[in-house]
Amino acid sequence: MTISRRPLVRLLLGSFLGIFLGLPPLLPSAAVAQNFPAKPIKLIVPFPAGGPNDIIARVIGQRMSELSGQPVLIDNRGGQGGVLGTDAVSKAPPDGYTIAISSAGALAISPSMERVAYDTQVDLAPVTLVATVPEMLVVATNVPANNISELIALAKSQPGKLNFASSGPGSLPHLAGELFKLTARIDIVHVPYRGAAPAVNDLLGQQVQMTFLDLPVLLPQVKAGALRPIAMGSAERAPTAPDVPTLAEAGFPDLRIENWYGMVAPKGTPKEIVTALHGLATKAMADPGVKEKLAQQGATLIGDEPEHFRQFIADETKKWGKVIKDAGVETAK
């Protein structure tokens, strides 16, 4: 059987002509996606090593590497609450080889709080919502409250006297406290810190009275009896803290407070490459070992479709934007 070389000749001539005229090469994107990845993938984590975002990215990245046969290289680029690292991926070549697992703060909250160099809905290509992590409300052990009702009653009896710590202005823990204030109609004072660690240290030192933070950050101190848990922001009780009721159980069904982490690529990344990244990421997330490791961190793996994740980001941006407005949180815009 004789195979005609004419289609191949046309493709090569078209590619050479495209190079000569400065046009994109005529290489089918489906063929590129079929061989993806053909080299190492850089996975940006917009926070320093050791935090929840970093742990989630490393566990999933390692499994993606094993599945693809190509290294997935973690690149920690902390700064400005995740904004700097997220901005870096928005400016990367749209070939699927530079991606990020970013957070609610950088993707939905900061764009409503300050002037950032990217538009989440325009400059990034959503791949998948990776995981959610509940925020836990805890109090210092000297606070005379064992549940949400007692804490609210205490705050109402001392308006403006109780403080809540956060990991920084405009962070999810900050807005969680503001949403709690609005919903419970209490007057508590925000005390921002540069990160979760100093906030927890002052809470342990009883210099502030309460905080909302990611479950993995607070769980060791709660288990040690150094902090008292009040409620969980997730829809269901966390397997790692089964005795802590949810805010819904405590009478606040609309008070859903979870941090979340999602995979994004630069805008203009071909749909076939986004699909390939999605398949690789969700296959890694389905691995029993990955599930077990991240469950220990209090994370619930999601793995939705790119368009669903895009809508999720839009909904979260609207939700927290309303909190920012209603609470009168100052923005840099």
Side-chain angles (χ1 to χ4, degrees):
M1 181 176 65
T2 303
I3 301 175
S4 173
R5 296 184 179 181
R6 289 181 181 178
L8 178 59
V9 171
R10 290 195 192 102
L11 178 61
L12 291 174
L13 287 174
S15 296
F16 287 133
L17 181 61
I19 292 171
F20 179 76
L21 295 176
L23 300 174
L26 301 176
L27 294 178
S29 55
V32 175
Q34 188 176 8
N35 296 322
F36 182 87
K39 62 181 182 179
I41 296 173
K42 180 191 294 184
L43 176 54
I44 293 176
V45 178
F47 290 93
N53 199 158
D54 180 68
I55 293 170
I56 289 170
R58 288 180 185 275
V59 172
I60 291 175
Q62 175 62 35
R63 186 59 184 141
M64 288 175 63
S65 177
E66 294 167 354
L67 291 168
S68 67
Q70 292 289 346
V72 175
L73 308 174
I74 302 297
D75 183 357
N76 292 94
R77 296 198 193 186
Q80 207 176 329
V83 167
L84 296 184
T86 305
D87 182 45
V89 76
S90 76
K91 293 177 170 58
D95 56 9
Y97 289 101
T98 301
I99 58 176
I101 291 183
S102 192
S103 67
L107 294 174
I109 295 175
S110 289
S112 299
M113 285 281 299
E114 58 187 309
R115 188 178 293 107
V116 298
Y118 56 88
D119 183 325
T120 304
Q121 291 290 337
V122 174
D123 298 320
L124 295 166
V127 177
T128 187
L129 176 59
V130 173
T132 60
V133 176
E135 298 294 285
M136 179 189 276
L137 171 60
V138 299
V139 297
T141 53
N142 67 330
V143 175
N146 295 296
N147 55 54
I148 197 79
S149 298
E150 292 178 0
L151 181 59
I152 291 172
L154 179 65
K156 288 185 174 181
S157 71
Q158 304 176 35
K161 299 296 183 182
L162 300 183
N163 298 327
F164 74 95
S166 83
S167 53
S171 63
L172 183 63
H174 173 199
L175 296 190
E178 298 292 351
L179 181 57
F180 179 45
K181 285 174 61 175
L182 291 168
T183 306
R185 298 181 180 180
I186 55 176
D187 181 11
I188 53 178
V189 180
H190 175 225
V191 180
Y193 289 84
R194 292 186 176 181
V200 173
N201 286 338
D202 272 11
L203 191 63
L204 292 170
Q206 301 180 355
Q207 297 179 47
V208 287
Q209 285 76 53
M210 71 188 84
T211 191
F212 281 92
L213 284 172
D214 281 15
L215 171 61
V217 175
L218 295 171
L219 195 57
Q221 302 296 342
V222 167
K223 288 187 173 181
L227 294 174
R228 185 181 306 126
I230 297 295
M232 200 76 67
S234 50
E236 299 178 353
R237 295 195 182 198
T240 51
D243 296 330
V244 182
T246 67
L247 288 163
E249 288 178 290
F252 294 90
D254 297 327
L255 202 57
R256 180 82 175 267
I257 306 174
E258 292 180 299
N259 204 348
W260 50 266
Y261 304 93
M263 182 177 291
V264 291
K267 69 175 179 181
T269 302
K271 183 178 179 180
E272 293 84 0
I273 297 296
V274 172
T275 299
L277 283 167
H278 175 271
L280 187 58
T282 53
K283 189 173 181 180
M285 292 158 59
D287 182 89
V290 169
K291 287 184 176 181
E292 182 179 357
K293 287 178 183 177
L294 294 183
Q296 294 171 1
Q297 297 295 322
T300 299
L301 295 178
I302 307 297
D304 61 352
E305 295 296 322
E307 284 309 309
H308 183 275
F309 183 32
R310 181 182 294 279
Q311 186 59 50
F312 177 84
I313 295 173
D315 292 343
E316 285 286 288
T317 301
K318 182 178 179 180
K319 170 185 174 178
W320 293 115
K322 186 176 187 304
V323 173
I324 291 166
K325 181 180 177 181
D326 292 349
V329 177
E330 293 186 1
T331 69
K333 288 187 174 182

